[in-house]
Amino acid sequence: MKLLPKDMFRFVYCMLFAVVIIPSLGHGDEIAELSKTIMEQGQEAVVLTKTVLEMFDSERKVEGLASVINKEGLAVISLTSIDPASFYRSGFGEVKVKDIKMILSDNTEIPSKVVLRDPELDLAFIKPIEKIDRDLNFVSLFEHTIPQMLDHIVVLSRLGSALSNVPSISIARVQAIIEKPRTMYVPDPFIVLASGMGTPVFALDGNIIGILLMRVTRGNESYQSDVGGLSGLGMLPIILPAQEIIDVMEKAPELKE
């Protein structure tokens, strides 16, 4: 039987759908299933933080997110979420953390303290003031994966107290890899809007890649830049690799107390 041109077009379309579209749908389902597994295993390690800041001679209450990295409750957080002055570097005035609490998924409040700040990395470490009577869920930085360009990444987060502190998950890709002065991975910049900073980023194998933070970029002061999207505005969401955080921990006596 001879196919008419219209029938031939339909035949080719169906073949393309079978060869291209259907496998891609299956691949999407596979990524979704792997992401669900990551969420089930790691979501409890993502905690809400409530901080009281003293700035401009007044108090300001802010919420943020942190990732617990050991069973005793040591956690990492974006420094800019508890100290906006660290982002602007100058002319902002001193910001003091008067009070900070970690809020677990069951709404247990753990009074905490800031034990280390690294403005260069937008990184801070917090831990419970008193020893807690149970082991916390945590993500291990020591079991980490090094991603490649365009690899899928999974970011775990929470929606905050206004939305019952429910867990959330986002899927993105690695858009760039910065190697100097230190290795950093650049995700979809809008992932910060969906996930917030201080959140853990995983590879599809379930191992952590690093923590989502904000990088302050300093370009050539002689030129105003409009290249690189947000980086041209002096800021860029980045994933700080787990190994970089481990290196900071190993050199910090404050974290060994």
Side-chain angles (χ1 to χ4, degrees):
M1 184 178 67
K2 193 172 182 180
L3 292 176
L4 297 174
K6 183 165 63 174
D7 296 326
M8 181 63 76
F9 175 79
R10 288 174 179 170
F11 176 76
V12 172
Y13 178 83
C14 290
M15 290 299 294
L16 286 173
F17 185 86
V19 172
V20 178
I21 304 300
I22 292 177
S24 68
L25 290 174
H27 184 58
D29 289 341
E30 180 184 359
I31 291 173
E33 289 303 316
L34 291 171
S35 300
K36 288 178 183 177
T37 300
I38 291 169
M39 187 173 187
E40 291 169 359
Q41 295 176 347
Q43 190 59 56
E44 296 301 308
V46 183
V47 297
L48 187 68
T49 61
K50 291 185 176 181
T51 309
V52 179
L53 302 176
E54 186 177 282
M55 51 192 298
F56 303 128
D57 298 322
S58 62
E59 287 187 355
R60 179 184 175 190
K61 297 179 179 179
V62 297
E63 287 189 356
L65 293 163
S67 300
V68 180
I69 58 173
N70 70 17
K71 64 182 181 180
E72 289 82 22
L74 181 66
V76 290
I77 190 172
S78 167
L79 180 57
T80 53
S81 68
I82 60 172
D83 184 2
S86 67
F87 181 84
Y88 295 98
R89 302 286 179 91
S90 61
F92 196 87
E94 183 180 5
V95 177
K96 295 181 179 179
V97 176
K98 294 188 66 177
D99 183 73
I100 184 168
K101 295 183 178 70
M102 286 190 278
I103 316 298
L104 306 185
S105 61
D106 62 1
N107 291 320
T108 298
E109 295 190 357
I110 301 179
S112 305
K113 61 181 178 180
V114 180
V115 290
L116 181 67
R117 305 171 186 232
D118 191 327
E120 184 65 27
L121 298 178
D122 183 37
L123 185 66
F125 292 82
I126 60 176
K127 69 177 184 180
I129 295 175
E130 303 291 341
K131 186 176 180 179
I132 51 181
D133 58 3
R134 59 168 165 163
D135 293 344
L136 296 186
N137 293 292
F138 68 97
V139 291
S140 174
L141 297 177
F142 295 92
E143 299 173 9
H144 54 264
T145 290
I146 298 174
Q148 304 299 316
M149 285 282 289
L150 293 179
D151 278 0
H152 280 96
I153 56 175
V154 178
V155 187
L156 301 185
S157 184
R158 290 188 176 276
L159 296 185
S161 61
L163 295 171
S164 304
N165 198 21
V166 299
S168 71
I169 186 170
S170 301
I171 302 172
R173 288 182 183 267
V174 175
Q175 293 191 339
I177 298 176
I178 300 170
E179 296 181 348
K180 295 181 179 180
R182 57 173 50 87
T183 300
M184 293 176 285
Y185 309 114
V186 182
D188 179 341
F190 295 103
I191 201 70
V192 170
L193 298 178
S195 303
M197 296 179 292
T199 47
V201 183
F202 297 85
L204 291 180
D205 63 8
N207 289 333
I208 193 168
I209 293 174
I211 302 296
L212 189 61
L213 301 170
M214 186 65 71
R215 175 74 173 173
V216 178
T217 59
R218 304 296 181 188
N220 190 319
E221 295 181 358
S222 301
Y223 294 88
Q224 181 177 348
S225 175
D226 61 356
V227 299
L230 287 176
S231 64
L233 301 177
M235 58 182 180
L236 182 68
I238 59 96
I239 303 166
L240 185 66
Q243 187 59 54
E244 291 284 345
I245 301 172
I246 292 170
D247 291 344
V248 172
M249 294 171 62
E250 290 178 342
K251 298 174 183 176
E254 301 97 319
L255 303 180
K256 298 180 174 64
E257 295 177 355

